[in-house]
Amino acid sequence: MNFFPFYLGYARNRRVDMPGVEVLDEHGIPLLMDRFPYNETFQGFQLYGRGVSWATLRDSLKRTFTGKPAKELFDEWQTGFSVGSSLYTQTERELVASLNNPRIHYLDYFTGEYDHAAHLTNDRVVQLKALEEVDALVGRIWTAISKSPLADSTVLVMVSDHGMNTSEAVYSQGYSLVDWFNSAAGGGQHVLTNRHPSTEFTLKGLDPLVSEVITLSTESTLSGGSVRYVSDGHAGLGWQ
Amino acid sequence: MADSLAQAKVDRIVILKVDGLPDDLVERYVREPAGVGKEGRSRLPWIERVFQKNGVRMGNYYSRGLSLSAPSWSILDTGRHLEIRAIASTTGTRCVLMIT
């Protein structure tokens, strides 16, 4: 899920809550966080959020683009700015700071990093890496809770919204259709990706004008060659 | 912590929401050794320590509905049965949530 188009839309329309929250409000259905006074809550960026923390967004963008050497910025520009990760980092920083405020009684943190990785590929290493990052996040939050003034009366809950089929034999969410189309069984096509969130995984270059393929399937007839392709401006990428 | 929570007063709740994470995958990797030189250690040491060894796991807690983020999170965030039942993407940049 790419939240940034939503945020930009809010900025233009001066909207506050996420659309899902507005729908629920119309039907008089409160959120769990509504059981707490608003000023006693800290919420991460998520689908059902009350208000948009523009300061968090601003600070994450600031950290992405400032304080880095020109060469580092140029390198990131080539591979794609990790704005999404920067937002998660900033939100985590603010969560940890809020844990030190004893007046905050409800806190949540949303991460879509595993979901993004699993939708992109069923590759075990990629998914495990995403899961290990979740584990490390648990460690950092738990450590921060342990040092917080309400450590003895805090409950940490980890929850997921739905599973995902990760079987390599099943054509489902975790199955890599990209790999299959590129394989001999799939006709040796030259499909690169149906998404482009993980530039390090499939693409390098200036997005959306992708200029280089770095992980062609070994079964592709284009493997080993220098491949260029361009955006068709509508449905995705075409070959040149 | 679980034992103490049975009697302790809870003043604060911290919820870590992980989108799309299958529970069986967590179970599998918690049991898997971290690798050479890290014998006896789980691949997911913090999840093992905080939730498996010192916490509570619920194996039958799930969102009863579509395997889509928006409907599923609506169940978890409200405690109500499925109210948001679909995601209708109308353009590349706008998403309309439909309720039935």
Side-chain angles (χ1 to χ4, degrees), chain A residues 1 5-6 20 23-24 27 29-32 36 46-48 98-99 101-102 104-112 114-115 124 127-128 131-132 135 137-139 142-143 148 150 153-164 173, chain B residues 1 5 8-26 28-29 32 43-51 61 63 66-74 76-78 80 83-84 92-95 97 99:
Chain A
M1 288 170 285
F6 287 117
V23 172
L24 293 173
H27 290 75
I29 302 169
L31 301 171
L32 171 62
F36 298 81
Q46 58 196 296
L47 278 171
Y48 297 93
S98 296
L99 284 170
N101 181 350
I104 305 293
H105 296 289
Y106 173 94
L107 304 93
D108 67 26
Y109 179 96
F110 174 94
T111 172
Y114 174 81
D115 188 74
R124 181 182 182 277
Q127 292 195 10
L128 178 57
L131 195 47
E132 286 174 337
D135 185 73
L137 175 67
V138 169
W142 182 251
T143 301
S148 69
L150 297 180
S153 55
T154 296
V155 173
L156 172 62
V157 177
M158 184 170 83
V159 64
S160 171
D161 61 329
H162 59 75
M164 196 171 292
Q173 288 163 310
Chain B
M1 186 176 179
L5 277 177
K9 179 187 174 192
V10 175
D11 288 319
R12 172 182 278 174
I13 183 167
V14 181
I15 304 178
L16 175 55
K17 301 175 174 180
V18 186
D19 200 51
L21 181 61
D23 63 331
D24 61 324
L25 206 66
V26 175
R28 187 199 312 168
Y29 285 126
E32 193 170 295
R43 279 201 183 275
L44 306 175
W46 281 106
I47 291 176
E48 179 188 46
R49 174 181 163 186
V50 174
F51 298 110
Y61 180 82
S63 57
L66 299 173
S67 184
L68 283 171
S69 292
S72 298
W73 283 119
S74 79
L76 297 170
D77 283 337
T78 65
R80 296 275 293 263
E83 297 290 346
I84 290 183
T93 57
R94 293 186 62 197
C95 184
L97 299 177
I99 191 165

